[in-house]
Amino acid sequence: MAEIGKGVTAGKLAINVQKKFTRAQEKVLQKLGKADETRDAAFEETVGSFNKQMVEGAKLQKDLKAYLLAVKTMHDASRRLQECLAEMYDPEWFGKEEVDSMVEEMIEKEMDNTLEDTDANWTDYYEKLTDESLLSLDTYLSQFPDIKARLAKRERKMVDFDSARHHFASIQKGKKKDEAKIAKAEEELGRAQKVFEELNVELQDELPVLWDSRVGVYVNTFQNLASNQEKFHRDMGKLSQNLNDVMTKLDEQRLDKKNGSASVKPEEASSSEGANHSVAGDSQPAKRLCPPPSRPPARMSLTPSPGPEDDESPETAPTSTTSVTSTSPISTPQNAVTNGDGDLPEGFLYKVKVLHDYAATDGDELELKTGDMVLVMAFDSPDEQDDGWLVGVKESHWLQHKDISIKGVFPENFTQKV
């Protein structure tokens, strides 16, 4: 059995060597012009398109893998940067005993959630790009090696067919007609032609379909890439805004801490100047994020009423022979609007935007929501204005009702001038 196996192997080897020699000889004759060559211009054009398609697909695969590697690198760099921030952030920066320490803990928790969501967003982005774009592209390109091998086989079978055809023709043209040789050559020609044509027909059907499929593959790859990029950057924008808000809160807390400590002594000194100021100053400090103001007197009417306050501000009190009506203008700052043109309330100074919600704690205060626009007005009397507080009316209310009866005071550090 061993000898038979060796004989079979030796026989196959001899046949393969003979085929290679015959094909090489046939190609030399074709190049020298001594033998014609089977040509199919349409098929050769299809093969050219296949080679172009294969090169483009391989380049796209390479670049997409490089992009994913860059995403992974950016993810790692982002995670290290965020871990550095988390390690540096210390909730004890401003002290545990202070009221703001509760806010600090909330800020730290919010920051931790933001960093975790950012890391998860990077991971999700990388996995979706891999699953929806790279894997589908890999499946598409997996077809090319098999087709490339079959094209090479077709090339060899075409040479075999040409060689069998030329051999059959040379025997037929010989002076001595050997019917056995002619029959054998004809049989070999038929066999070579059949193998070549079967393979040729299969490739003629498959190559155009493969060529057309590239459009769908490119659409799927870049649509998935674009949609995942859009979602990733949208989510990252929200997370980045959250992180920015956390840092803004931390900075505001630092400034409030600094301003609060700096205003302790002025408040103690101002408490001895008047009974109204001392009472208001004692009742408010635990509830204010800005310097605690004294409560302004009620502003029910623009007409001054006789009373003890007239003696405290003689320069603004009317004489005994002069009556002041509700339509008489009260002294206002030089830059206040007093023309009453309808577009802006009388006494308008400038406009501010609310940065943080503010819950009113008194009847003469404005309830503020983040994003509200407030028209700042002059106080009816300079004595009514306290440090860190403004008076005004919400712009939306003014535009709708043209009424300043519900104007109120609000903390200046909750707003930003626009």
Side-chain angles (χ1 to χ4, degrees):
M1 292 293 293
E3 294 298 327
I4 295 176
K6 290 183 179 179
V8 172
T9 302
K12 287 185 177 180
L13 179 61
I15 292 173
N16 289 336
V17 171
Q18 181 62 37
K19 283 184 178 180
K20 290 182 179 181
F21 176 76
T22 303
R23 288 167 186 162
Q25 186 180 32
E26 182 66 23
K27 287 182 178 180
V28 170
L29 293 175
Q30 290 175 352
K31 288 182 179 180
L32 294 175
K34 296 182 178 181
D36 60 328
E37 180 182 1
T38 301
R39 302 297 297 268
D40 187 340
F43 187 85
E44 290 175 359
E45 183 178 351
T46 304
V47 172
S49 298
F50 167 81
N51 291 329
K52 177 176 180 292
Q53 182 181 4
M54 182 170 59
V55 171
E56 291 176 347
K59 184 179 185 303
L60 175 59
Q61 183 187 45
K62 178 182 177 182
D63 291 343
L64 185 56
K65 286 182 177 179
Y67 179 83
L68 286 171
L69 180 61
V71 170
K72 189 172 181 61
T73 303
M74 276 296 299
H75 179 194
D76 293 338
S78 175
R79 181 170 55 242
R80 288 194 297 270
L81 187 62
Q82 291 160 3
E83 288 173 352
C84 178
L85 175 60
E87 290 173 1
M88 291 189 302
Y89 188 88
D90 186 0
E92 305 300 327
W93 277 341
F94 303 114
K96 281 186 177 181
E97 283 83 20
E98 301 296 335
V99 177
D100 289 339
S101 63
M102 184 70 68
V103 180
E104 291 168 9
E105 293 175 4
M106 294 173 62
I107 292 176
E108 184 185 25
K109 187 175 295 183
E110 183 178 351
M111 184 182 68
D112 289 341
N113 292 336
T114 299
L115 299 185
E116 290 175 3
D117 292 342
T118 301
D119 187 67
N121 199 31
W122 274 105
T123 302
D124 182 65
Y125 180 49
Y126 179 83
E127 290 177 351
K128 284 188 175 180
L129 284 180
T130 301
D131 294 340
E132 298 177 8
S133 295
L134 183 60
L135 292 182
S136 61
L137 184 60
D138 290 345
T139 302
Y140 162 72
L141 291 175
S142 65
Q143 309 171 79
F144 287 83
D146 176 67
I147 295 179
K148 184 178 180 181
R150 290 162 63 197
L151 284 171
K153 183 178 179 180
R154 174 193 174 275
E155 183 72 17
R156 294 193 302 270
K157 296 304 177 182
M158 184 176 67
V159 175
D160 292 342
F161 169 62
D162 288 341
S163 178
R165 181 165 53 84
H166 296 150
H167 178 64
F168 177 69
S170 64
I171 291 178
Q172 281 187 322
K173 293 178 181 178
K175 296 181 179 180
K176 295 181 179 180
K177 302 292 184 181
D178 189 336
E179 296 299 331
K181 287 185 179 181
I182 293 176
K184 184 179 180 181
E186 186 176 7
E187 182 181 353
E188 291 177 353
L189 174 61
R191 190 185 306 114
Q193 184 177 6
K194 180 181 179 182
V195 173
F196 168 71
E197 289 182 350
E198 286 179 354
L199 191 56
N200 190 59
V201 170
E202 290 177 2
L203 291 171
Q204 283 180 336
D205 293 338
E206 292 179 21
L207 288 177
V209 174
L210 180 63
W211 172 254
D212 293 337
S213 70
R214 78 193 193 286
V215 178
V217 172
Y218 297 160
V219 168
N220 179 70
T221 299
F222 285 98
Q223 268 189 345
N224 289 330
L225 180 63
S227 63
N228 284 312
Q229 278 182 335
E230 190 274 334
K231 180 180 182 300
F232 170 76
H233 289 298
R234 184 178 66 247
D235 294 343
M236 286 299 294
K238 294 178 182 178
L239 294 172
S240 298
Q241 184 60 49
N242 291 343
L243 184 58
N244 182 63
D245 292 342
V246 170
M247 296 296 103
T248 301
K249 290 177 184 178
L250 187 59
D251 188 53
E252 290 173 354
Q253 183 183 353
R254 177 183 63 84
L255 294 176
D256 289 341
K257 187 79 173 180
K258 181 178 179 181
N259 294 336
S261 61
S263 63
V264 172
K265 292 183 178 180
E267 287 169 9
E268 293 176 352
S270 64
S271 62
S272 62
E273 294 179 1
N276 291 337
H277 288 87
S278 62
V279 173
D282 293 339
S283 61
Q284 295 299 326
K287 299 181 180 179
R288 306 291 191 193
L289 292 179
C290 60
S294 61
R295 304 304 308 149
R299 295 178 297 280
M300 301 300 294
S301 171
L302 295 178
T303 303
S305 58
E309 294 179 356
D310 294 340
D311 297 332
E312 296 178 2
S313 55
E315 66 278 7
T316 60
T319 63
S320 60
T321 59
T322 305
S323 62
V324 180
T325 64
S326 61
T327 58
S328 299
I330 304 300
S331 61
T332 60
Q334 187 175 2
N335 61 342
V337 176
T338 59
N339 59 4
D341 60 1
D343 293 335
L344 296 170
E346 183 177 1
F348 169 78
L349 297 176
Y350 54 86
K351 187 187 298 186
V352 295
K353 181 179 180 180
V354 178
L355 300 178
H356 308 284
D357 294 349
Y358 177 73
T361 58
D362 207 341
D364 65 343
E365 295 182 8
L366 284 182
E367 187 85 13
L368 302 179
K369 296 293 183 183
T370 302
D372 287 348
M373 303 299 292
V374 183
L375 304 178
V376 179
M377 303 165 59
F379 279 87
D380 293 341
S381 171
D383 292 337
E384 298 178 0
Q385 185 169 3
D386 300 303
D387 292 340
W389 290 82
L390 301 174
V391 65
V393 62
K394 290 185 180 180
E395 184 181 39
S396 59
H397 175 82
W398 169 254
L399 294 177
Q400 185 175 1
H401 302 289
K402 302 294 183 181
D403 178 21
I404 62 171
S405 62
I406 63 168
K407 67 180 179 179
V409 296
F410 56 92
E412 182 178 6
N413 63 347
F414 275 59
T415 63
Q416 182 180 22
K417 188 174 180 180
V418 295

